[in-house]
Amino acid sequence: MRTLLDLPAPAKLNLFLHVTGRREDGYHLLQSVFALVDWCDLLHLETRDDGRLQRHDLGPALPADDLCLRAARALQQASGTRRGVDITIEKHVPWGAGLGGGSSDAATVLLGLNQLWGLHWPRARLARLALGLGADVPFFIGGRNAWVEGIGEALQPVDLRPQRWLLLKPPIAVPTAAIFASPLLGRDTKPATLLDFLADPDGFKHNDLQQPATAYSPQVQEAVALAARCGDHSRMTGSGSAVFAEIGSEAQAIQARQQLRSLPEGWTGWLGRGLERHPLSDFAV
């Protein structure tokens, strides 16, 4: 096998996001539930025999040394393979959105190359390598929706009820560092447990980062208001700027489709569903 085409890299939502403290090294302690959604980038991988790693963008150019290339390089060095790869990316999930697009792309590269290069690493080994690329990457390797703690490295799989979502992304890209440095950010939300969430998931609808993100750009609040016209519990995901709302009826879905057709210039959005598992979950065991 020399080629793998149309490998999906799904986005994720933070169903809630609490900041419960801060470590001495400056990293913030978080609690969240990450939920996979069917808004996906598509990646195409083709083995090279010369050991080179190259990326080709079908759309706007990504940074020269993005997470995909870093993921391929990390796996190449850790495995000792002499093979290389051409990575072609069809980018659909917007960046600067809090949807985990770059981390998901990197995870799809690791999962795909694990097959393409014949490595057959177990999931746990890939996840350890993934953590060096970013706190969100192991989640996508894990293949399941998850309760997330710590700085994002502590994951517990969780089953979520099937849901439809409306996602909206305004033109602004919110810098994560600015949000975590904001004086408006509280860092003392009372820690909860997975059992608390499972007993009352409707009690977990708040994102502690939303207030500082709204102060950074009024477009975030505009997006929250637009999503609220169509669905329930509109809120921001991650550090923004994307927001989402729960679509619980066909009437709401019709409103959401109409909203997507009339978005302001520069905005993008998606009406889709949650995923029970990562589409490539069978690529590692």
Side-chain angles (χ1 to χ4, degrees):
M1 180 171 55
R2 297 189 59 85
T3 304
L4 286 171
L5 302 177
D6 298 321
L7 298 179
K12 61 84 179 166
L13 297 177
N14 296 88
L15 299 191
F16 74 94
L17 201 164
H18 296 167
V19 183
T20 60
R22 193 173 189 177
R23 303 193 319 190
E24 291 185 0
D25 60 8
Y27 282 99
H28 288 78
L29 297 173
L30 310 174
Q31 287 188 320
S32 185
V33 165
F34 285 8
L36 296 160
V37 293
D38 63 358
W39 198 1
C40 299
D41 293 337
L42 291 177
L43 281 73
H44 315 291
L45 306 179
E46 184 173 359
T47 296
R48 298 178 62 105
D49 295 325
D50 59 7
R52 295 179 63 186
L53 308 174
Q54 294 192 333
R55 195 196 69 235
H56 314 277
D57 302 329
L58 300 180
L62 297 174
D65 192 33
D66 74 325
L67 272 179
C68 288
L69 285 175
R70 289 168 55 193
R73 187 181 308 117
L75 186 60
Q76 185 186 57
Q77 292 174 350
S79 67
T81 184
R82 296 184 178 181
R83 294 182 175 182
V85 68
D86 281 302
I87 305 169
T88 301
I89 302 180
E90 295 181 35
K91 193 70 180 165
H92 301 288
V93 177
W95 52 85
L99 295 169
S103 296
S104 185
D105 292 344
T108 289
V109 167
L110 291 177
L111 290 165
L113 291 181
N114 192 42
Q115 293 288 314
L116 198 64
W117 287 346
L119 303 177
H120 307 300
W121 279 21
R123 189 183 312 278
R125 189 177 181 186
L126 286 175
R128 288 194 295 270
L129 185 70
L131 186 58
L133 299 168
D136 287 354
V137 185
F139 161 70
F140 293 102
I141 295 291
R144 295 278 304 279
N145 299 312
W147 172 271
V148 182
E149 293 187 282
I151 61 172
E153 84 289 359
L155 304 169
Q156 295 184 64
V158 61
D159 293 322
L160 301 174
R161 62 182 176 87
Q163 282 184 282
R164 285 193 292 182
W165 306 104
L166 171 66
L167 286 70
L168 298 178
K169 165 67 170 65
I172 186 72
V174 177
T176 300
I179 300 307
F180 277 105
S182 172
L184 297 176
L185 176 63
R187 300 172 175 85
D188 57 355
T189 297
K190 182 180 178 181
T193 68
L194 175 55
L195 288 178
D196 294 331
F197 172 79
L198 294 176
D200 181 25
D202 287 337
F204 290 78
K205 305 287 187 184
H206 181 73
N207 184 340
D208 286 343
L209 306 186
Q210 186 168 318
Q211 183 181 2
T214 299
Y216 180 86
S217 172
Q219 287 186 349
V220 175
Q221 186 55 44
E222 184 181 357
V224 170
L226 287 176
R229 295 179 185 176
C230 309
D232 301 320
H233 306 295
S234 174
R235 60 221 191 253
M236 191 179 76
T237 181
S239 58
S241 60
V243 308
F244 64 101
E246 302 170 20
I247 303 300
S249 68
E250 189 54 38
Q252 288 182 323
I254 292 172
Q255 286 183 299
R257 294 186 191 100
Q258 292 173 341
Q259 182 68 77
L260 290 173
R261 287 193 291 266
S262 60
L263 286 176
E265 184 177 356
W267 289 56
T268 187
W270 182 260
L271 177 61
R273 297 182 180 273
L275 298 172
E276 181 180 353
R277 292 182 177 273
H278 192 289
L280 303 182
S281 60
D282 291 339
F283 276 36
V285 295

